[in-house]
Amino acid sequence: MNTIDAKTLQKAFLAGAKGLEAKKEWINELNVFPVPDGDTGTNMTMTIMSAAREVAAIEDPTMEKLAKAISSGSLRGARGNSGVILSQLFRGFTKEIKPLEVITTTTLANAFVRATETAYKAVMKPKEGTILTVAKGMADRAVELVTETEDIVEFARKVIEHGDYVLSQTPEMLPILKQAGVVDSGGQGLMQVMKGCLDGLLGKETDLDVEPAAASVSPAAAVKPGTAEADIRFGYCTEFIIHVEKTYGDREEREFKNYLESIGDSIVVVSDDDVVKVHVHTNDPGLAIQKALTFGSLSRMKIDNMREEHQERLIKDAAREAVRQKEEAEGEKDGSAAPAAEPKPRKEYGFIAVSIGRGFGEIFQGIGADYLIEGGQTMNPSTEDMLNAIDRVNADTIYILPNNSNIILAAEQAASLAEDKKIIVIPSRTVPQGIAAIINFVPELSPDENREAMTAEMSRVKTGQITYAVRNTVIDDKEIRQGDIMGIGDSGILCVGKSVMDTALDTLRAMVDEDSELITVYYGADIAEDTAQALLEKVQEAWPDCEAELHSGGQPIYYYLMSVE
């Protein structure tokens, strides 16, 4: 096989996506820390499947159509650091193949190099021993092979063989991988994609059916917590693609967006040459469709009744819904119930925070967050989730608080795609850092001055997280057994124990120093209030010179999140 045409590439890409999907749980288990939130496989799978749905929908593939589908689909569906890097690899790869009719080994070598260069540029501080290293190793080998063979199958096998070798060396580059006895999970995910693509090229029997977008449910959605069915002002989530056949320039796009705003909200309109992707929440999908038809033909139409979906979620979480309804009823009695949301005038600045747990949601709203993206560990929001949230905040400058190290890249990618608004990502790696950042916002300062001040203030916050181990391992010379309780700090595991309370106190002992003034404890969904109160009393007894506070975070997985300032 000396060339690959568009039809063959389509099959190979879908086989690559399926290859990753089949191994996602195995890749999840390669997580270095043995915490119950390993999600690299899930993030990478959801990223590539976002592109695969668009690729599968192309009936008459060309390189240009495939390049657009792979690039835009993965870019907007990217979640987690590994997913964002994967989307950037695809972005660079597709730029190289887009103008061609067939692919050769020379094309592949150039595309691999461009993919690697694009991905490295997207990461502020690239770290070797990761998916980037594996990608670069394959790109370097591909360049060498160009002079050795024109057979694409032989070329691909040797590139993959070298990729496996580089992957096997990642523990030598990152000591933490070696201690945990695993290879890099992102690199392993990339190799599964490559091997799946090779299977596709070889014509191996693979189920290439991809579920349509309507069947794919994002694990993180931009929603305000506690939203009631009555608060859904526009009941139909409407999505479609316009294949432009008439004039559609900047003026037409502005007018189209203004029209959509007059009939709905949560509007996303993304133009890519002669293809326009549209998302809108409205009570009359027909109006949006009729307007779109004035620009060209439509495909990938999807209309979901959000009220029905919302009701299903309420049924699954009946206990929480009952509490919410009771609180609303009490609010109506004393006249404190909030009126239905109305469109707000554009303001100077706004805040988007990623949060999980009812308690944290209330805290962020109480200190000024305009919009919450529900997510965090095991629920990394996608770039598109971020863009939808940006669309909902009517402000000139919007600050995004990712509050998780695995969400920062997706937030930065969304910021680069947003239009008409200045987006500033404050790189908060934990929820307590995000709280500190937003508290220290000063309206009188310029956006860049606030960025500097908020980042500086949050850097003074130490965070400790208490959770349980899901497997046996050794990290930082600490032997960890499945079921042990771990105290995880900003740069690693601080302590390991058998008791949640004792481990929490040991974690604080590793965090508190002579300069510490405030200790804040946020208890999770699995901790009773009286148990948390007992911990607070022990904290006050152990550190009488520090002020100590207790709040309900309501977070899953982590028994306690604690901060020291």
Side-chain angles (χ1 to χ4, degrees):
M1 182 187 295
N2 291 342
T3 60
I4 298 174
D5 60 15
K7 193 69 177 177
T8 304
L9 179 62
Q10 183 183 43
K11 291 180 180 178
F13 182 81
L14 293 176
K18 285 292 188 174
L20 175 59
E21 184 181 44
K23 296 288 187 178
K24 70 178 179 181
E25 293 303 331
W26 173 54
I27 295 168
N28 283 340
E29 292 173 4
L30 294 177
N31 193 25
V32 171
F33 287 136
V35 293
D37 59 11
D39 50 11
T40 299
T42 299
N43 284 339
M44 294 184 73
T45 297
M46 297 192 76
T47 298
I48 198 171
M49 293 308 289
S50 176
R53 282 190 287 273
E54 296 195 19
V55 169
I58 300 174
E59 295 181 0
D60 184 21
T62 63
M63 289 297 178
E64 184 175 8
K65 290 179 182 178
L66 290 176
K68 288 181 181 179
I70 293 171
S71 180
S72 64
S74 63
L75 199 67
R76 299 183 69 84
R79 62 185 73 239
N81 293 343
S82 55
V84 172
I85 292 172
L86 183 64
S87 74
Q88 290 296 321
L89 287 170
F90 288 150
R91 183 185 179 199
F93 185 92
T94 55
K95 282 182 179 178
E96 194 69 29
I97 68 167
K98 186 176 180 179
L100 306 176
E101 293 186 4
V102 295
I103 292 173
T104 64
T105 54
T106 300
T107 306
L108 286 175
N110 292 337
F112 285 177
V113 170
R114 192 163 184 178
T116 302
E117 290 174 349
T118 303
Y120 266 87
K121 288 177 182 177
V123 181
M124 186 172 295
K125 295 180 180 179
K127 184 181 292 186
E128 297 305 328
T130 65
I131 181 176
L132 291 171
T133 307
V134 177
K136 187 175 186 302
M138 287 192 287
D140 291 343
R141 182 63 177 137
V143 171
E144 294 174 355
L145 287 168
V146 166
T147 59
E148 297 178 17
T149 181
E150 294 181 355
D151 181 356
I152 287 176
V153 173
E154 180 185 1
F155 175 92
R157 282 178 172 152
K158 290 184 176 180
V159 167
I160 289 172
E161 180 182 354
H162 188 69
D164 278 337
Y165 169 74
V166 176
L167 177 65
S168 73
Q169 297 304 299
T170 55
E172 302 302 321
M173 304 175 204
L174 281 178
I176 195 167
L177 293 175
K178 192 169 186 177
Q179 281 193 348
V182 297
V183 296
D184 178 67
S185 55
Q188 186 66 268
L190 179 59
M191 294 312 303
Q192 294 310 127
V193 174
M194 293 292 294
K195 291 172 183 177
C197 287
L198 178 56
D199 286 345
L201 288 178
L202 294 173
K204 290 187 178 180
E205 288 296 324
T206 306
D207 176 15
L208 298 182
D209 289 338
V210 177
E211 290 183 346
S216 174
V217 180
S218 170
V223 294
K224 287 197 174 184
T227 303
E229 183 173 348
D231 292 331
I232 299 178
R233 298 176 58 232
F234 300 102
Y236 296 95
C237 177
T238 306
E239 297 182 48
F240 50 82
I241 290 176
I242 306 173
H243 299 277
V244 177
E245 298 167 355
K246 299 179 181 178
T247 302
Y248 185 85
D250 292 340
R251 182 174 64 83
E252 286 78 14
E253 181 171 332
R254 284 195 300 272
E255 292 176 354
F256 184 40
K257 286 181 177 179
N258 290 337
Y259 177 78
L260 293 178
E261 287 174 354
S262 72
I263 63 169
D265 66 5
S266 194
I267 295 158
V268 179
V269 177
V270 180
S271 304
D272 189 0
D273 295 338
D274 57 351
V275 175
V276 181
K277 187 173 182 180
V278 180
H279 172 282
V280 60
H281 292 175
T282 178
N283 285 327
D284 193 338
L287 293 176
I289 290 172
Q290 289 174 18
K291 184 67 173 178
L293 284 170
T294 63
F295 300 112
S297 60
L298 308 185
S299 67
R300 302 287 304 283
M301 289 182 285
K302 179 174 76 75
I303 300 173
D304 292 330
N305 186 326
M306 294 190 296
R307 293 189 177 96
E308 287 183 357
E309 291 180 349
H310 182 74
Q311 186 61 32
E312 290 174 3
R313 289 196 295 270
L314 295 184
I315 291 172
K316 292 178 181 178
D317 200 4
R320 180 178 296 178
E321 176 64 3
V323 171
R324 185 194 59 72
Q325 290 178 344
K326 180 179 178 181
E327 291 175 347
E328 282 192 350
E330 291 173 352
E332 290 174 357
K333 288 180 182 178
D334 62 20
S336 64
E342 293 293 337
K344 296 180 180 179
R346 195 171 180 96
K347 56 183 185 176
E348 188 176 349
Y349 56 84
F351 300 93
I352 296 170
V354 178
S355 176
I356 189 166
R358 183 181 183 87
F360 277 124
E362 292 174 349
I363 290 170
F364 273 115
Q365 288 182 305
I367 58 178
D370 296 274
Y371 209 81
L372 301 182
I373 300 178
E374 187 174 345
Q377 295 292 44
T378 75
M379 291 174 59
N380 295 157
S382 68
T383 298
E384 188 154 24
D385 290 329
M386 296 281 183
L387 288 169
N388 290 339
I390 289 170
D391 186 64
R392 295 293 296 273
V393 177
N394 193 18
D396 294 326
T397 301
I398 300 174
Y399 298 85
I400 299 181
L401 304 164
N403 301 330
N404 186 296
S405 60
N406 206 32
I407 299 176
I408 294 173
L409 276 183
E412 291 175 342
Q413 187 153 278
S416 70
L417 296 174
E419 300 176 354
D420 302 326
K421 297 174 182 177
K422 182 180 178 68
I423 309 300
I424 296 178
V425 177
I426 305 297
S428 50
R429 304 174 70 85
T430 66
V431 173
Q433 282 190 350
I435 291 173
I438 195 171
I439 286 175
N440 284 280
F441 174 81
V442 179
E444 291 75 22
L445 296 180
S446 70
D448 290 333
E449 287 173 332
N450 263 309
R451 182 211 310 262
E452 184 176 341
M454 294 165 74
T455 302
E457 287 300 322
M458 76 178 190
S459 68
R460 298 189 177 98
V461 177
K462 302 176 186 177
T463 304
Q465 304 173 81
I466 311 301
T467 188
Y468 59 93
V470 295
R471 58 180 168 82
N472 301 339
T473 188
V474 176
I475 296 179
D476 297 334
D477 298 324
K478 295 179 177 64
E479 185 174 346
I480 301 169
R481 311 298 297 178
Q482 183 176 348
D484 283 352
I485 307 302
M486 301 179 297
I488 304 174
D490 292 322
S491 21
I493 295 180
L494 300 177
C495 59
V496 181
K498 301 296 182 183
S499 158
V500 172
M501 183 171 292
D502 290 344
T503 304
L505 291 169
D506 287 342
T507 300
L508 284 173
R509 289 188 184 97
M511 295 167 59
V512 177
D513 57 31
E514 59 184 13
D515 297 323
S516 301
E517 298 177 351
L518 173 64
I519 299 172
T520 308
V521 177
Y522 304 92
Y523 61 94
D526 296 327
I527 297 293
E529 183 177 359
D530 56 351
T531 302
Q533 187 63 43
L535 173 62
L536 179 67
E537 292 172 2
K538 288 184 177 293
V539 170
Q540 292 171 327
E541 181 182 341
W543 296 279
D545 294 333
C546 290
E547 182 181 351
E549 296 181 355
L550 179 69
H551 300 280
S552 170
Q555 71 275 6
I557 299 176
Y558 292 87
Y559 300 115
Y560 292 103
L561 291 184
M562 305 179 296
S563 65
V564 175
E565 303 174 51

